[in-house]
Amino acid sequence: MKSKYLFAAALILTVTFASLNASAAEVNLYSARQAFLMTPLLDAFTQKTGIKVNMVYLKKGMQERLKAEGANSPADLVLTSDIGNLHNLVKAGLLQATQSPALEKNIPSQFRHPQGLWFGLTTRARVIFAHKDRVKPGEVTTYEDLAKPHMKGRVCTRSGKHMYNVSLLAWMIASRGETAAEAWARGLKANLARKPQGNDRAQIKAVYQGECDVAPGNTYYMGKMQTNEKSPVQKKWSAAVNLIFPNQNGRGTHVNISGAGLTKSAKNKAAALKLIEFLSSDAAQKIYAEGNFEYPVKAGVKLHPLVAAWGKFKPDTTDLAKVSEHRAQATRMMDRVRFNTMDGS
């Protein structure tokens, strides 16, 4: 009889400890995405699952930190704002593969790594911002138009070595081949109105001020400027340009992603995977995309009204994993054409 009581007591203790462990589940997150965007999502995840998320915001140096920490890194999961960062983490051997039927269902194949090393969570299009008066309708409808003679001295852009432009050139290589891509890069450089500088917002400001007529940029910058109460002048910048989705009669507009991946050192793999799955769900996708004026990766999720107002567009469907394989080649190409100089070469 006594043994039965002991067995029952042991069983109760086991269940109690299991419950405590379950309630104590957590995820350690290194995020390149800021707290204002992530906090509502992470709070909703914790409320739904009971899993606590410890987030460290890393604007720069995520790869270096993970390398330095090695197997002792506390990070279970990373969030980045560009396919380039995810690709670099893969090449450095810092991410591990995982599988999930939910992620395969929610995220189109072109927005996830074929071995499950990373998963896209939002998308943004690399569009052309064109001055409403100085650029005639139909004058610029493709990326290729930016490199044509009629655009001489009319283009502004940020550094050719920035990840957004490297990704665009890598996409050009993947879709048109190295020779055509280099010819485009040289033509684009020849048409620059000034030395590459500043961020995407600075290019739209330059268009507004008359330094140039067109500039490539990410869609979400339009939303940020249109709603900027801290710096209302940016509303004037955005009002001066049309947002053009390039190559709509061809392969479509180049899109990039923000995404997530499990670290090689993850100690809380199951909980981290639950967080990625949550971020790919309908409710989270709406909040996540709206927070930065981006597009959900999951089909059927309602867009922010401002984003919807920009119009529907045809995105290119090339696998970003294939595009990212050309990033090093694109970087070398930018060096070869001396893109960031104004020396006429």
Side-chain angles (χ1 to χ4, degrees):
M1 193 71 171
K2 186 176 179 181
S3 62
K4 289 184 179 179
Y5 286 125
L6 289 172
F7 175 80
L11 183 59
I12 291 171
L13 284 171
T14 300
V15 172
T16 301
F17 283 131
S19 299
L20 286 171
N21 287 336
S23 64
E26 62 181 15
V27 176
N28 295 317
L29 170 66
Y30 284 180
S31 175
R33 313 223 74 183
Q34 297 182 56
F36 82 88
L37 176 62
M38 298 311 305
T39 297
L41 288 160
L42 301 181
D43 287 348
F45 172 72
T46 299
Q47 185 175 5
K48 180 178 180 180
T49 64
I51 299 172
K52 180 183 177 184
V53 182
N54 306 307
M55 177 180 144
V56 175
Y57 171 57
L58 295 173
K59 184 176 182 179
K60 295 181 179 178
M62 183 183 294
Q63 181 174 329
E64 292 74 16
R65 180 163 175 169
L66 287 170
K67 276 185 176 180
E69 292 171 342
N72 295 319
S73 175
D76 301 305
L77 182 67
V78 295
L79 286 177
T80 78
S81 56
D82 182 84
I83 182 60
N85 290 319
L86 289 168
H87 176 74
N88 291 340
L89 292 172
V90 169
K91 288 298 183 183
L94 296 170
L95 301 182
Q96 65 171 293
T98 188
Q99 291 184 331
S100 164
L103 294 177
E104 291 177 7
K105 178 182 177 181
N106 292 342
I107 303 173
S109 60
Q110 69 265 30
F111 298 138
R112 49 185 164 85
H113 191 274
Q115 279 78 53
L117 289 167
W118 51 256
F119 300 90
L121 294 171
T122 61
T123 69
R124 72 289 297 268
R126 191 86 177 142
V127 296
I128 297 171
F129 294 105
H131 193 273
K132 287 182 176 179
D133 298 326
R134 299 195 303 270
V135 180
K136 298 181 176 121
E139 198 172 1
V140 179
T141 62
T142 67
Y143 298 108
E144 286 79 2
D145 285 339
L146 295 176
K148 290 181 179 178
H150 72 285
M151 297 309 297
K152 181 76 172 178
R154 301 175 68 188
V155 183
C156 286
T157 184
R158 69 195 303 164
S159 169
K161 298 300 253 330
H162 189 275
M163 65 180 69
Y164 298 158
N165 282 339
V166 169
S167 290
L168 178 60
L169 185 55
W171 174 71
M172 278 278 185
I173 296 170
S175 59
R176 298 196 57 207
E178 183 175 2
T179 301
E182 183 162 335
W184 177 79
R186 290 187 183 279
L188 179 61
K189 180 198 169 180
N191 287 345
L192 293 179
R194 63 179 188 176
K195 183 178 179 179
Q197 59 191 268
N199 57 21
D200 280 8
R201 245 182 282 214
Q203 312 315 313
I204 300 167
K205 178 184 178 182
V207 172
Y208 168 77
Q209 293 178 328
E211 293 182 61
C212 49
D213 293 339
V214 298
N218 287 349
T219 41
Y220 59 82
Y221 285 105
M222 179 64 98
K224 287 176 176 290
M225 291 185 299
Q226 288 177 326
T227 59
N228 197 322
E229 299 300 334
K230 291 184 179 179
S231 180
V233 68
Q234 293 190 17
K235 294 182 181 181
K236 293 183 180 180
W237 303 350
S238 64
V241 299
N242 287 318
L243 189 159
I244 298 171
F245 293 102
N247 298 74
Q248 291 301 282
N249 293 324
R251 60 193 184 277
T253 298
H254 170 58
V255 293
N256 207 322
I257 59 168
S258 72
L262 293 182
T263 66
K264 203 71 172 287
S265 61
K267 313 294 189 301
N268 303 296
K269 182 177 177 179
L273 181 57
K274 284 183 180 180
L275 177 53
I276 304 178
E277 290 173 340
F278 172 78
L279 292 174
S280 75
S281 67
D282 285 60
Q285 279 280 287
K286 186 174 186 297
I287 297 170
Y288 197 4
E290 285 187 350
N292 202 43
F293 302 104
E294 294 177 298
Y295 296 90
V297 293
K298 192 174 190 294
V301 176
K302 190 174 181 181
L303 300 177
H304 186 289
L306 198 56
V307 175
W310 300 337
K312 295 182 179 180
F313 73 99
K314 172 186 173 183
D316 177 76
T317 58
T318 305
D319 284 356
L320 288 183
K322 293 180 180 178
V323 172
S324 65
E325 290 297 329
H326 294 285
R327 287 183 59 81
Q329 188 179 3
T331 300
R332 292 192 298 270
M333 189 176 290
M334 286 293 192
D335 285 335
R336 194 158 59 243
V337 304
R338 298 174 57 83
F339 190 86
N340 285 345
T341 67
M342 291 293 285
D343 58 3
S345 62

